[in-house]
Amino acid sequence: MASSAARAEVLSLLRSLLRTATKFSDYNIREYAKRRAIDGFRDNRGLTDPSSIAAAFADGKSQLEVAKRQAVVYSLYAPRIKSVMEAESP
């Protein structure tokens, strides 16, 4: 990260991706989106070249837009029953 502003933007992007992941109604998709966001940021943690950091940030922004659109689409066609992982035990 070149500066603290860039670091703040990157952390904001991660929080936005995680926040968007919580909007998926299906448990499996929600957990996949969270895991993918965290893993992507872990994979790019060691980047030092400013151009590769900018490319990774731009890719993250585009992934955020895709996730937002998909969350809306999935909410329109959400399953009526919950997953076994979400079912409350008696």
Side-chain angles (χ1 to χ4, degrees):
M1 310 291 149
S3 68
S4 62
R7 180 174 171 82
E9 289 175 346
V10 169
L11 291 175
S12 175
L13 176 61
L14 176 60
R15 282 191 302 271
S16 295
L17 283 164
L18 293 175
R19 202 173 306 120
T20 301
T22 63
K23 294 180 182 177
F24 286 100
S25 58
D26 185 78
Y27 173 82
N28 292 321
I29 297 169
R30 183 172 55 244
E31 292 302 312
Y32 171 76
K34 287 182 200 175
R35 194 172 54 247
R36 182 175 166 134
I38 292 169
D39 289 346
F41 277 79
R42 281 188 185 144
D43 291 344
N44 292 324
R45 183 186 317 183
L47 294 179
T48 55
D49 180 38
S51 63
S52 61
I53 292 172
F57 185 75
D59 184 49
K61 292 288 270 188
S62 67
Q63 291 296 325
L64 176 61
E65 295 305 316
V66 169
K68 284 181 179 180
R69 286 193 304 269
Q70 287 297 346
V72 170
V73 170
Y74 275 90
S75 71
L76 295 174
Y77 302 103
R80 298 194 192 286
I81 57 173
K82 291 192 175 206
S83 169
V84 173
M85 299 299 291
E86 297 176 308
E88 295 179 15
S89 58

